[in-house]
Amino acid sequence: MIPHIYIDRLRHHINEPVVLKGWLYNKRSSGKLQFLQVRDGTGIVQAVVSRADVGDEIFGRAEKTVQETSIIVTGTVREDKRSPLGVELHASNVEIVHLPTQPFPIAPKEHGTAFLMEQRHLWLRSSKQVAVLRVRAEIVRQIRNYFDERGFVLMDAPIFTPSACEGTTNLFQVDYFGEPAYLTQSGQLYGEAGAMALGRIYTFGPTFRAEKSKTRRHLTEFWMVEPEVAYLELDGDMDLAEDFLVNIVQGVLKTRRDELTILERDLSKLERVQKPFPRIRYEEALEILSKKGKTVPFGEDFGADEETAISEEFDRPVMIHRYPAAIKAFYMKHDPKDPRLALAVDVIAPEGFGEIIGGAQREDDLAVLEQRIAEHKLPREAFEWYLDLRRYGSVPHAGFGLGLERTVQWICGLHHVRETIPFPRMMGKIEP
Amino acid sequence: MIPHIYIDRLRHHINEPVVLKGWLYNKRSSGKLQFLQVRDGTGIVQAVVSRADVGDEIFGRAEKTVQETSIIVTGTVREDKRSPLGVELHASNVEIVHLPTQPFPIAPKEHGTAFLMEQRHLWLRSSKQVAVLRVRAEIVRQIRNYFDERGFVLMDAPIFTPSACEGTTNLFQVDYFGEPAYLTQSGQLYGEAGAMALGRIYTFGPTFRAEKSKTRRHLTEFWMVEPEVAYLELDGDMDLAEDFLVNIVQGVLKTRRDELTILERDLSKLERVQKPFPRIRYEEALEILSKKGKTVPFGEDFGADEETAISEEFDRPVMIHRYPAAIKAFYMKHDPKDPRLALAVDVIAPEGFGEIIGGAQREDDLAVLEQRIAEHKLPREAFEWYLDLRRYGSVPHAGFGLGLERTVQWICGLHHVRETIPFPRMMGKIEP
């Protein structure tokens, strides 16, 4: 029996007979030859069907095919220097599995994004979307390998949470057997419990924000990876974030170069993501902004414009640390040298892709944390278990969260985050 | 500077000075010696503190420590054949990072499970729970590696879904900006769209069921991995499930033997999980049950009792295929040789651990699927995108879903599924 070979493996079968199982992506023909572009999810290859070789009946079947016809092509793999794959197939048989009776909605031409988003289940088949999804999967694999190989234990944080970390305005509410519950915004608090049990953990799962913003950087449902480490302080946290990002970007560059080329990504920009990343204090960032005519008063957070302006000064990610405590979360430890500041760090991607990491050393003193919870008017009872982590063997600890979709957006060089996830969810967008 | 070494790496530092950073798990002492059991998430090691070696001050600090005191111990690693790790630490210094002012709620003695579940954030620190979580993380790693190495592309399915696959009774409803939405029960339908784009995919994420059952096998929030493959039929689907399970179980046995030993798992039972798995038809399963005095009429589904009775006949997972179509989902293809039957397969774990995999070949004919949706009185409009997959290049395809927590329960040999996930969610249980 002739073996079924996936397109990305064809180069190992030169001059051998193989069976391809896929879909017609495009075709062109002369009277005697047809050139079928066949895709199978691992790549696209040209199958040459010659009337002289296959006879009228098979040639006629090939002629009948339209875009997205599912077909099985038997043939011999031939070396072909002109093809990006280095091979093409000389067909000996073409079988039609299913012939669409109406034209595929997404022709190989330009379509508006609103239309493409409605057809997301079919749009996924286009070579650009396939490339993005393959890069996304590889980024996930690199992230998991990075932590697994270094002794971090994956710890899945719960999705259902009983209360809100920081108010309920951006939370999605669920009917949990008649009681209100909320979808998690972050696994961090649970990750802290895990770090006290397992030393070094990472959570990696979907998180949710009910933000009423329709920008090119917002999704209501997105994946976040959050390492948390016992006995780690801010400097070590920055070392970890830096080493992590360099490994992910360089790893993906190595294994998904073809896909990034399809996406027309400027690879030289990614090659520059090497240690050391610049580390600047919030106050230094204010100076940079001021010099560029974008004065921000101390105590205000940066928006997309400010992040872009700062990132323009560097050729790689920049780490901004020691933000004003007032604009950061209650659980962050304050700088003993300047209590106005939190031991926090944000990592801003280059080229204006914005914040991709937010991290911090956590407050580990019970009394200080109790006071913080009171100051922020948070429901004390809901945090009793979290306070327990400071009652029983509290240790300095730190971690960060990386947004997967923004990282995919940056690495792929995409304008809008909605193309970074198979079925994006946004305000007003929950289908298909 | 003396290096910080994690306990699981100590065996590579024999006769070297090291720093341990962890928590006191237990201790015993004579007047001149103290034996501190120190844990750091990667293991437990004995640190021997001798008054003669360290002097009164340091010895006094060691004496003050109580369970879960966070401590930093400096010392020299010594080979010790009696210890499970093969090493112990001869301490030269003990520093207290944080001394609890009240006793740790979970003493090294027996506690009731209700109490332990309330203290889940602290219970995680016990050596048995650490072992379970390390096995869980390793099962996830093996699952992802299995698919990644074989060319399957990870495809994250959405959590928010606009409509219900099979009625809304078991669905959690969310307020999505004022409109009702539901939390996913399965990524499969989206995975099918992915398989048409990428050839072979797997989804792996949390799924949700609002079942009002409080059994030892039910969680409201659990993780599921679901491969889906274009151009695959039922026999190939069974081959895949079998090869997959053998790889996962044998892989975990290799890398997590120590943890499984802590859990007192009978490893010989897991070693027997090898190919080929018995494959029996639903009707053969009925005969087995009948012989055991548990007659089930054709057309009824199996419950936990029947699954256990069937699994007793085999020393490895058993695959039951071709169930009555009436008790299976609308999207399953019917057996062309007997249309009463669906081309479905369930895999039942041995030793009474129940169903761990449910899979099927999907219906790929547009007209048949349209008719099925009408018969099941499903909202046709919500499935238009799913029907598109049969309109444009439909192909035979199949896949399955594996429940992660039930797999962890089986491999670890746990009575209750609630210990298989860091923060379990059940009916009436959403804290901590």
Side-chain angles (χ1 to χ4, degrees), chain B residues 326-376:
Chain B
I327 57 170
K328 288 289 181 184
F330 76 95
Y331 50 71
M332 293 186 182
K333 193 174 178 73
H334 292 192
D335 188 348
K337 290 186 193 143
D338 183 349
R340 293 176 313 151
L341 305 178
L343 294 176
V345 60
D346 283 357
V347 184
I348 314 294
E351 305 171 70
F353 284 100
E355 183 198 326
I356 44 173
I357 281 182
Q361 184 173 338
R362 322 305 183 185
E363 181 52 64
D364 52 355
D365 184 273
L366 177 64
V368 173
L369 197 56
E370 285 174 331
Q371 191 192 325
R372 264 329 144 62
I373 286 171
E375 281 166 12
H376 283 74

Side-chain angles (χ1 to χ4, degrees), chain A residues 4-69:
Chain A
H4 167 207
I5 305 294
Y6 282 95
I7 290 171
D8 64 352
R9 306 286 304 163
L10 286 179
R11 68 175 75 108
H12 306 291
H13 296 269
I14 287 171
N15 297 328
E16 294 172 20
V18 301
V19 173
L20 283 193
K21 299 182 176 184
W23 295 264
L24 185 74
Y25 196 61
N26 209 344
K27 73 171 173 183
R28 58 191 176 84
S29 61
S30 69
K32 292 173 180 178
L33 290 174
Q34 288 182 78
F35 303 94
L36 310 181
Q37 305 291 326
V38 181
R39 67 168 193 87
D40 72 355
T42 71
I44 298 178
V45 71
Q46 176 163 283
V48 183
V49 188
S50 150
R51 190 192 291 268
D53 289 351
V54 301
D56 286 345
E57 190 189 333
I58 293 174
F59 196 80
R61 284 211 291 270
E63 276 185 316
K64 275 209 307 199
T65 59
V66 296
Q67 193 190 351
E68 287 302 314
T69 301

Side-chain angles (χ1 to χ4, degrees), chain B residues 64-139:
Chain B
K64 275 208 308 200
T65 58
V66 296
Q67 192 190 351
E68 286 302 314
T69 301
S70 40
I71 50 175
I72 297 178
V73 185
T74 309
T76 305
V77 185
R78 299 291 184 206
E79 204 163 4
D80 183 87
K81 304 273 185 217
R82 295 160 304 177
S83 124
L85 272 180
V87 296
E88 62 177 22
L89 195 75
H90 285 214
S92 58
N93 193 16
V94 176
E95 290 167 68
I96 291 178
V97 178
H98 174 245
L99 185 68
T101 56
Q102 56 198 86
F104 192 64
I106 304 169
K109 58 158 194 168
E110 287 291 311
H111 291 279
T113 309
F115 172 78
L116 290 171
M117 286 296 289
E118 278 166 30
Q119 306 290 328
R120 183 64 178 166
H121 55 297
L122 302 176
W123 186 26
L124 292 178
R125 302 183 186 187
S126 78
S127 56
K128 216 181 128 179
Q129 297 305 313
V130 166
V132 173
L133 293 186
R134 288 174 64 86
V135 172
R136 177 189 168 99
E138 178 64 10
I139 292 172

Side-chain angles (χ1 to χ4, degrees), chain A residues 11 13 16 23 51 82 97 116 121 171 177 205 211 214 216 249 296 300 307 351 375 381 383 394:
Chain A
R11 68 175 75 108
H13 296 269
E16 294 172 20
W23 295 264
R51 190 192 291 268
R82 293 159 305 175
V97 178
L116 290 171
H121 55 296
L171 289 178
F177 300 106
E211 279 179 285
K214 290 186 177 179
R216 65 188 185 87
V249 173
V296 173
E300 282 196 14
E307 287 172 3
E351 306 171 68
E375 282 165 11
E381 202 185 302
F383 289 94
S394 188

Side-chain angles (χ1 to χ4, degrees), chain A residues 154-158, chain B residues 120 124 133 136 418-424:
Chain A
L154 169 71
M155 199 204 84
D156 295 309
Chain B
R120 183 64 178 166
L124 292 178
L133 293 186
R136 177 189 168 99
R418 69 189 150 205
E419 290 182 43
T420 62
I421 186 165
F423 291 93

Side-chain angles (χ1 to χ4, degrees), chain A residues 22-23 39 68 70 98 121 125 136 144 156 159-160 176 196 220-221 231 388 392-394 425-426, chain B residues 22-23 39 68 70 98 121 125 136 156 159-160 176 196 220-221 231 388 392-394 425-426:
Chain A
W23 295 264
R39 67 168 193 87
E68 287 302 314
S70 40
H98 174 243
H121 55 296
R125 303 183 186 186
R136 176 188 169 100
R144 294 186 176 265
D156 295 309
I159 307 296
F160 288 130
Y176 197 78
M196 302 304 139
T220 55
E221 176 186 318
Y231 287 104
D388 273 354
Y392 305 107
S394 188
R425 297 301 186 233
M426 291 168 287
Chain B
W23 295 265
R39 67 166 192 89
E68 286 302 314
S70 40
H98 174 245
H121 55 297
R125 302 183 186 187
R136 177 189 168 99
D156 295 309
I159 307 296
F160 289 130
Y176 197 79
M196 301 305 137
T220 54
E221 175 186 318
Y231 288 104
D388 273 354
Y392 305 106
S394 188
R425 297 302 187 234
M426 290 167 288

